[in-house]
Amino acid sequence: MILSVTRASATLRPFCTRCRLPISFGRPVKVLVRWRTMASVASATGGGVERMTAPYGSWKSPITADVVSGADKKLGGIGVAGDGRLIWVETRPEEGGRAVLVKESENSGDKPIDVIPSEFSARTLAQEYGGGAFSVFDNVVIFSNYKDQRLYKQIIEGGSPVPLTPDFGGSLVRFADGVYDPYLKLYLTVMEDHRQSSLNPATTIVSVNVDDETIQDPKEIVSGNDFYAFPRIDTTGRKMAWLEWSHPNMPWDKAQLWVGYFSEDGKLQERVCVAGCNPALIESPSEPRWSPRGELFFVSDRNNGFWNIYKWNEYKDEVIPVYSLEAEFTRPLWVFGISSYDFLGDEERHSIVCSYRLNGRSYLGILNDVDGSYSALDTPFTDIGNVVAGSNCLFIEGASASHAISVVKIILDSNNKQVPLFSVIWSSSTDAAKYRSYFSLPEIVKFPTETGEDAYAYFYSPSNPDYQAPVDEKPPLIVKSHGGPTSETRGILDLNIQYWTSRGWAFVDVNYGGSTGYGRQYRERLLGQWGVVDVNDCCRCARFLAEKGKVDEKRLCITGRSAGGFTTLASLAFSETFKAGASLYGVADLSLLREETHKFESHYIDRLVGDEKAYFERSPINFVDKFTCPVILFQGLEDKIVLPDQAQKIYKALKEKGLPVALVEYEGEQHGFRKAENIKFTLEQQMLFFARTVGHFKVADPIVPIKIDNFD
């Protein structure tokens, strides 16, 4: 059945995710020297209350789909205004996914302030995935508006948005990852121009006039390559660093870092390649940043295959390692504007605050680039995203197994070695802590793959203080294959997962071969092997858990979004491990994806798949005869990355074969669902579909089922 639906969303009250008290935004919270462990949080629940016995999957939970959809806010980047207060972008499902610029309140206890008017949304469509939609300098913010993709300038408090770029019509010209040059008084930004070609838009670095009231066309500064990112100006305004790369590479495969020198009239008169130009050295530099002393730092995997921090000695034209570790100090450049490190201090004395990933968790610390020493900072956050330095403080995007994704303000001691104070400025799930007695805490699982190598996953057991299962029953399992596929799943508090586990499902989130976070060698396992390695690893992980007695081998299900949707469909076509699957805007036909996809990923697929034979043999649409179990599909009708015809083709083929199948399509949704009502409906119908076709139990929630073709 094909269905289009709308539902209502929920409004949530803010609570501190740690102490379960209402958040007082901007209010410091004292940090204990010894954090409560996850085990102590778990042991604090239950309270000796007698549990009801009921089958796995049938348990009643207060973590409803309304709670999940209302808590599914996303961060779109952080920055610091001239007064030292934080600026961030948050997407609000209850407002149809609008991306709102918000500022930290001035007074403790006050709510954050919405910066832009309600008719504006700070979101760029550059490279389709966006990111880097705004930049702050002093008391001014420049942002890309979603509706028309024009750049606007606004005084942060009290001003109205003023357009800086012409109206090119719709979303034909897009901007991202900009910075202000105080010397030239220009805004330097990546521009993506679709006016000549929608499939092959021209990407350049341009300058935009911000002081003149007359709107002018952007002026080209750097051009000639396929892609650009990270235009960054030094402290004098006379030098610019940038990243560029060309087909068929993705930025994490091979890229180049350049520095250009401005003439008095704002033109680049000399250019130097800092990293990535040596044909004998394969590297993927990222995140160039100028220190207060005017030295250029960046991250690269040039020596040990892990993204580490380096410094460029301009006078010797030499790259120097700052700190070497088999850990990842950045993440893949899917979106613009990532910031994994920043500088604390001034020109006279500064240090680097940074985060890195090692063995499935993040670490935060202070790095001395002079002597190479590193001091760890003790926080409760095991997952850290962007890091930005403020005035005598730093801001991080942090999360853990018991903390939802949050923006945290950290106050350091005088030696920058201790964290005496921190405050939660923003949380993606402000009400989450009230449900912590229901939380399932992830266990890092290392399992052997088909090739004898190790792969990794986060396993969540069923958890509900009100219920227990019959002694002879094992839980059904949801295997999640993450998107990307060059990406990483993380063991953090996600109410989407807790929705399942609190109802009696086991859940495993797989970092199959090809995932990031484990170095270049691990992420290159997928080159030429997409649809093989990821499928084998997901199937092997499910069987591994069944062999260990943790789950019911007869009730194994798989789900995934985008690239994870492809892995889901491929697992159902080419193995008999799973009994049902859910594909969310997934790929069914690799050849069709190559023909239709956008410029950023147009050659990515060739590197992942290989030759024409592999394109055919890995596409689930060509092997519908091998499918043997129920499938449900969800698709946004405005998706420009995986077009709707992918879901429509596989739906029609599976229906004609006679398998139980359903397709839900959403008007107004793109690649990833942003509206609360659609997030809710997807979650509920996915669970009910699995319960009806595989689980063989009645769910506790009052959900009206959609019609399943060849089943109802």
Side-chain angles (χ1 to χ4, degrees), residues 572-627:
L572 299 177
F574 305 123
S575 81
E576 297 181 354
T577 301
F578 301 104
K579 307 306 179 185
S583 171
L584 284 70
Y585 39 94
V587 178
D589 187 334
L590 291 170
S591 295
L592 187 62
L593 177 68
R594 178 175 55 179
E595 293 172 8
E596 296 177 335
T597 198
H598 58 135
K599 176 185 175 183
F600 180 58
E601 295 183 86
S602 59
H603 291 261
Y604 178 43
I605 308 158
D606 291 335
R607 291 176 60 82
L608 291 173
V609 178
D611 58 20
E612 292 299 324
K613 181 182 178 183
Y615 267 91
F616 181 86
E617 292 180 346
R618 309 253 186 91
S619 294
I621 191 66
N622 299 325
F623 297 91
V624 173
D625 60 304
K626 292 181 177 293
F627 280 80

Side-chain angles (χ1 to χ4, degrees), residues 295-308:
E295 298 171 306
L296 180 64
F297 289 74
F298 63 97
V299 179
S300 180
D301 58 353
R302 59 170 31 215
N303 288 329
N304 60 3
F306 289 83
W307 279 312
N308 288 183

Side-chain angles (χ1 to χ4, degrees), residues 11 38 43 148 160 180 206 286 318 349 362 403 439 495 541 543 552-553 566 677 706:
T11 302
M38 288 187 287
S43 65
D148 56 13
S160 297
Y180 179 68
V206 300
S286 185
E318 180 182 40
R349 181 187 177 201
S362 296
H403 297 77
F439 291 167
L495 291 187
C541 184
R543 294 195 299 268
D552 185 349
E553 65 178 354
F566 165 72
E677 61 268 24
I706 61 172

Side-chain angles (χ1 to χ4, degrees), residues 479-498:
V479 174
K480 180 188 171 188
S481 173
H482 66 69
T486 310
S487 186
E488 178 188 5
T489 193
R490 302 186 173 210
I492 63 175
L493 178 59
D494 181 349
L495 291 187
N496 284 278
I497 294 175
Q498 303 301 327

